Amino acid sequence: MSFSDLGLSQPVLQALALKSYDSPTPIQRDAIPTLLKGRDLLGIAQTGTGKTAAFMLPSIDRLVASGRGLRPHTCRMLVLAPTRELAGQIADSARAYGQFAGMKVATVFGGTSINMNRRDVSRGVDVLVATPGRLIDLVEQRALSLREVEILVLDEADQMLDLGFIHALKKIVTMLPARRQTLFFSATMPPAIRQLADKFLTDPAEVRVAPAATTAERVDQFVSFCRQDEKQALLTIMLRVGFGDRGNMDRVLIFTRTKHGADRVVKLLAGNGIAAAAIHGNKSQPQREKALAAFRSGDVPILVATDIAARGIDVSGVSHVINFELPNVPEQYVHRIGRTARAGAAGVAVSFCAEDERPYLKDIEKLTRQKVDVAPLPANFNQEANRIKATRKNVASDTSGEERRWEPRPRRGEVGRHAGAVKPAGRPRQRQRARG
Ligand code: AMP
């Protein structure tokens, strides 16, 4: 099936041609014809499935077809997103897909100048992409009215709930006209999200793609057991020498659980002569944008992020995701590893698991219905770790070449995976390596 079979208009197909996508992804195939008919949609899908195009392409066509002009201080399509990064990215997609349909696109989110926001919407826009808080500020200042909204999209609703946007969302719904088309996307569908969806949607079509386990299947996953205080050395060695036959660490995304943790990793890596950028909620918007741009361009091929900041980061060619700390919410793990293996490409994810994180690993394996392959620590790990500690401030001398490649266990399907039976109950794997 090709995009032209889906009933999209010529200007949209022309914009798609510039993207050189071969064919629609499953969510695009399922959602686009339904949305073109004007139905509400409940999409259970996460970032990486092509959902932005799935909602943006038919919406552009519907905006063009409805033919209503722009009115000052209004928007015709409102997309709500949980983070600035995701909002920025959706707006970029809207501009790209809408370039031949003459779509006027603006963004509104915290961390930018509200006066600029006021100016951007003053003449009216076709597509407004916003985070909930700043949107409400604008409406309350009477700089924007939502009365002309024809299409509403709620993206990553589960994340919005996690971030405490529930009241904001309920408030926004009262500002919208009842007659509109509503699209609601969420990666997970716990009862609270269902209830929220019911509030927004009328007789929606439901599209469900890539449940958590399916995304996880596309990523080669490994776990290395180590002590918390060994993680830094492990990371340093891995970044320096690569990871077995999947050694080309072209673009590495490292996850920590906290903002503080992210800064600490960057600092310690810097101490070992490895440049990395961090992106998290405490960084200013320009700092975040700068870090992302450097990562995208490859100038800084290592980005350290927290879960929330990483939501919506769309960088192609992430070769490795490293979980410096395992997330305590198993769905986050799936989101994290989904950053590699995007749009069909396979990727590698390596998790560092300390003793106290083992319950998290267990939850993850339960959710994904997969055992994660164990990658033992490098053969000469203790020696290397000590050397790293000793030479942290003296990076230039670190060219002795005695580092050995770190060989993970065979890949899934090659010699059989680490099966539950192989792992002796109650005997942690890391004990199997020689310590010193
Ligand atoms: P999304 O899930 O919307 O964040 O999209 C994930 C990535 O897939 C983005 O980099 C898109 O540019 C890309 N993408 C979207 N649709 C397609 C497609 N049909 N074929 C290949 N890549 C796509």
Side-chain angles (χ1 to χ4, degrees), residues 86-120:
L86 184 61
Q89 213 161 277
I90 294 169
D92 289 345
S93 296
R95 287 188 187 101
Y97 299 139
Q99 62 185 302
F100 301 113
M103 288 290 116
K104 197 171 158 199
V105 180
T107 51
V108 153
F109 44 75
T112 55
S113 142
I114 195 158
N115 286 334
M116 193 107 89
N117 296 158
R118 294 169 71 100
R119 216 170 40 231
D120 287 346

Side-chain angles (χ1 to χ4, degrees), residues 71 86 103 108 147 166 172 184 200 208 274 281 283 345 396 404 434-435:
R71 290 191 173 188
L86 184 61
M103 288 290 116
V108 153
R147 287 283 143 216
I166 181 87
I172 290 170
F184 187 106
F200 279 85
R208 186 184 285 266
I274 299 172
K283 299 270 177 190
R404 300 244 298 266
R435 271 203 185 265

Side-chain angles (χ1 to χ4, degrees), residues 191-233:
I193 300 285
R194 272 269 165 211
Q195 279 167 16
L196 190 67
D198 287 345
K199 259 198 169 39
F200 279 85
L201 297 163
T202 311
D203 183 29
E206 196 168 312
V207 174
R208 186 184 285 266
V209 287
T214 316
T215 308
E217 272 158 23
R218 292 190 293 135
V219 180
D220 289 320
Q221 301 162 62
F222 299 92
V223 59
S224 284
F225 294 105
C226 61
R227 291 198 318 259
Q228 196 65 42
D229 64 3
E230 292 173 329
K231 287 185 173 181
Q232 193 64 43

